[in-house]
Amino acid sequence: MPHARTCVRRERPSGGCTRRATHLAFKVTAGDSGAGHTWSKVRLTWSGGKHPTYTCLTVQSDLRTGKISGIR
C-alpha cells in the first residue's frame, strides 16, 4: 500500500500544500456515532524499530458522506 502524504495548508489563496513527512503505517479504530457523525481513533506510526513514534488523533466524520468534519 502506498504511503499517504502529510501536508500543511499555507495561508494563501492557492491553498497549496507542502510535503512534511510520511507515516509508515496507520490503524483506525471505530468509535461512537450519533447525530449523523462518527468518531474514530487514528494512530499514525512515524518510525519503526524497538521504539516507534506514534501520533494519535480522534477524527469525526459525516456518516452520510464519509468526509472528515473534525480532528482532535
Side-chain angles (χ1 to χ4, degrees):
M1 171 163 66
H3 296 258
R5 289 187 178 157
T6 301
C7 65
V8 176
R9 194 169 288 274
R10 294 182 179 180
E11 295 296 327
R12 59 171 128 155
S14 69
C17 288
T18 304
R19 183 177 172 171
R20 301 277 268 199
T22 303
H23 63 272
L24 299 176
F26 66 93
K27 178 181 178 182
V28 179
T29 305
D32 296 330
S33 61
H37 290 90
T38 187
W39 287 97
S40 300
K41 302 281 185 188
V42 178
R43 184 179 78 175
L44 303 174
T45 305
W46 298 100
S47 62
K50 291 183 179 183
H51 304 287
T53 303
Y54 302 107
T55 298
C56 296
L57 308 166
T58 302
V59 178
Q60 182 184 33
S61 57
D62 185 284
L63 288 172
R64 186 176 55 82
T65 65
K67 292 184 177 182
I68 293 173
S69 54
I71 300 174
R72 289 195 255 181

